[in-house]
Amino acid sequence: MQDLLDSALARIGAAQTGDELEAVRVEVLGRKGVLAQLSKDMAKLTADERVARGKFINASKQALESAYDEKKSGFDRESLAKRLDSEWLDLTIPASGVAPGSLHPITQIQWEIEDLFRSMGFTVLDGPEVETEFHNFDALNIPGDHPARDMQDTFWLDGGHLLRTHTSPVQVRGMEKLGPPLRMIAPGRVFRNESVDASHEHTFYQLEGMMIDKDVSVGNLIYFMKTLLTAIFKKEVTVRLRPGYFPFVEPGFELDIRCLICGGDGCPVCKQSGWVELLPCGLVNPHVLRKSGIDPSEWNGFAFGLGLTRLVMMRYAIDDIRWLQSGDLRFLRQF
Ligand code: FA5
């Protein structure tokens, strides 16, 4: 009996792989295994012998099982170590194929302009995209039946509200809230119900600017516009100033820039004219000051409404406005 047990233990000890060990387990501990052989002729034994045999069988069972468990956990540890070795991950290596994001070109230029104007004492204001008719039109000297309302096709909402068609309502909110003297800019998204082409979007960005003080002149206006364009383009750009009509400024101007996509030869962006409308501006109409509670006999000022999306197109020579909101990563990854 001791020999049977010893040889079974030796076979467990000699198993070289998990599979071999499993085969030995079936032979030794299975239904026809060593323990079964040890219990085979129990009926023929005396009561004392049976007790002794029973003890021996129990001790053998324990010895075999613990030899098996020890061997098995050795194999398990080995195979786990092998797996960990082959599947080893270095969590500190940067993931491949994931490019870090970057700021949208409109945001980049908007922030540049904000920094520039802050350095000249301007405050940056924000206003709601859903506006009242009063702030978008009435307070800007555009009464209900005025043809100027047709110039900016409007998305109307319930309850007389609308999606702002320009950033000029933030001028009004700035005057109402802060009063004179005032130096403010207001970048933001605006909406127009118009057909989209290479230079027109239904949703685009403007950057409004306003300065209210004593004795503000067209000279001051031109100084700030030139400073702005030089800072953005970092080179001499050709501009032209022509009379422009906006009910909220008097006199009003259109500042156009020589198209930087085609160099002035004509292309879809400048509609073959060689010039891009970028920066309407003027001296604030006294009616507008009065409507916001500012006395025009004491204060005056200038205002401008930069087409920020178009400015970005000029700066990076983007030949179609639709790229900017396309979400196309091939486009966005260039910035
Ligand atoms: C205005 O919106 C006036 N509020 C600007 C202003 C402010 C004038 C203060 C005087 C004083 P206008 O509709 O021209 O003006 O738009 C201003 C600029 O926005 C344009 O010069 C152009 O650069 C840009 N713009 C206008 N429509 C679109 C469009 N559909 N897509 C992209 N840019 C546009």
Side-chain angles (χ1 to χ4, degrees), residues 245-261:
Y245 170 69
F246 301 92
F248 32 98
V249 286
E250 180 57 39
F253 306 102
E254 285 282 6
L255 192 151
D256 302 334
I257 176 170
R258 174 89 78 186
C259 182
L260 296 175
I261 309 287

Side-chain angles (χ1 to χ4, degrees), residues 238-312:
T238 313
V239 298
R240 71 178 184 190
L241 203 60
R242 57 192 168 87
Y245 170 69
F246 301 92
F248 32 98
V249 286
E250 180 57 39
F253 306 102
E254 285 282 6
L255 192 151
D256 302 334
I257 176 170
R258 174 89 78 186
C259 182
L260 296 175
I261 309 287
C262 62
D265 294 340
C267 70
V269 172
C270 61
K271 297 227 157 51
Q272 312 304 332
S273 72
W275 296 93
V276 176
E277 224 179 78
L278 199 63
L279 227 175
C281 51
L283 295 186
V284 183
N285 190 313
H287 292 312
V288 172
L289 293 175
R290 212 173 285 117
K291 275 188 211 274
S292 295
I294 296 175
D295 181 357
S297 66
E298 206 183 331
W299 302 97
N300 74 333
F302 68 72
F304 61 90
L306 170 70
L308 187 58
T309 306
R310 293 232 183 117
L311 180 83
V312 171

Side-chain angles (χ1 to χ4, degrees), residues 27-49:
E27 271 176 45
V28 171
L29 291 163
R31 267 196 312 131
K32 295 183 182 162
V34 174
L35 295 175
Q37 286 174 41
L38 290 175
S39 329
K40 209 165 61 186
D41 44 7
M42 285 280 265
K44 294 183 192 150
L45 301 178
T46 65
D48 284 350
E49 282 170 340

Side-chain angles (χ1 to χ4, degrees), residues 166 168 192 194 201 204 206 208 246 277 280 305 307 310 321:
H166 51 176
S168 297
R192 292 189 194 177
E194 63 180 326
E201 262 288 9
F204 57 98
Q206 290 188 339
E208 196 76 11
F246 301 92
E277 224 179 78
R310 293 232 183 117
I321 198 169

Side-chain angles (χ1 to χ4, degrees), residues 7-22:
S7 89
L9 286 170
R11 288 179 61 200
I12 291 177
Q16 295 290 322
T17 65
D19 288 346
E20 266 181 55
L21 180 66
E22 177 58 15

Side-chain angles (χ1 to χ4, degrees), residues 47-314:
D48 284 350
E49 282 170 340
R50 260 207 299 273
V51 170
R53 179 73 68 88
K55 274 189 185 157
F56 184 78
I57 291 173
N58 277 343
S60 304
K61 187 168 183 264
Q62 271 179 18
L64 288 167
E65 280 176 354
S66 71
Y68 169 82
D69 287 346
E70 198 180 312
K71 191 79 182 172
K72 172 130 183 11
S73 61
F75 284 140
D76 287 350
R77 265 198 309 277
E78 251 173 50
S79 83
L80 179 66
K82 261 193 209 146
R83 222 182 98 199
L84 287 178
D85 243 9
S86 66
E87 295 177 8
W88 185 75
L89 275 184
D90 182 351
L91 298 178
T92 63
I93 292 177
S96 59
V98 177
S102 58
L103 292 175
H104 193 279
I106 294 182
T107 310
Q108 291 184 26
I109 302 238
Q110 178 187 319
W111 288 6
E112 268 182 43
I113 299 177
E114 286 181 11
D115 284 349
L116 172 72
F117 275 93
R118 271 203 199 93
S119 75
M120 299 191 289
F122 283 67
T123 306
V124 181
L125 294 184
D126 202 8
E129 291 180 342
V130 173
E131 260 299 0
T132 63
E133 194 175 351
F134 173 77
H135 285 95
N136 197 79
F137 290 125
D138 303 336
L140 291 162
N141 201 33
I142 316 177
D145 55 354
H146 200 286
R149 288 199 187 207
D150 300 334
M151 286 161 47
Q152 302 181 356
D153 298 317
T154 309
F155 288 112
W156 289 96
L157 305 174
D158 289 345
H161 284 81
L162 49 85
L163 291 181
R164 67 178 177 191
T165 58
H166 51 176
T167 41
S168 297
V170 193
Q171 287 183 18
V172 179
R173 292 182 180 275
M175 286 188 287
E176 285 172 351
K177 193 167 165 210
L178 303 172
L182 175 66
R183 288 181 184 205
M184 55 145 281
I185 58 166
R189 198 160 58 148
V190 302
F191 310 86
R192 292 189 194 177
N193 188 0
E194 63 180 326
S195 32
V196 169
D197 61 25
S199 56
H200 291 85
E201 262 288 9
H202 48 73
T203 303
F204 57 98
Y205 287 78
Q206 290 188 339
L207 187 140
E208 196 76 11
M210 178 177 238
M211 174 171 161
I212 309 273
D213 214 312
K214 311 237 164 174
D215 304 321
V216 175
S217 68
V218 173
N220 298 127
L221 168 63
I222 291 173
Y223 167 79
F224 280 102
M225 299 303 94
K226 268 194 167 163
T227 307
L228 167 64
L229 294 175
T230 312
I232 293 301
F233 291 107
K234 298 183 175 69
K235 66 172 183 186
E236 194 81 21
V237 288
T238 313
V239 298
R240 71 178 184 190
L241 203 60
R242 57 192 168 87
Y245 170 69
F246 301 92
F248 32 98
V249 286
E250 180 57 39
F253 306 102
E254 285 282 6
L255 192 151
D256 302 334
I257 176 170
R258 174 89 78 186
C259 182
L260 296 175
I261 309 287
C262 62
D265 294 340
C267 70
V269 172
C270 61
K271 297 227 157 51
Q272 312 304 332
S273 72
W275 296 93
V276 176
E277 224 179 78
L278 199 63
L279 227 175
C281 51
L283 295 186
V284 183
N285 190 313
H287 292 312
V288 172
L289 293 175
R290 212 173 285 117
K291 275 188 211 274
S292 295
I294 296 175
D295 181 357
S297 66
E298 206 183 331
W299 302 97
N300 74 333
F302 68 72
F304 61 90
L306 170 70
L308 187 58
T309 306
R310 293 232 183 117
L311 180 83
V312 171
M313 292 174 73
M314 289 297 110

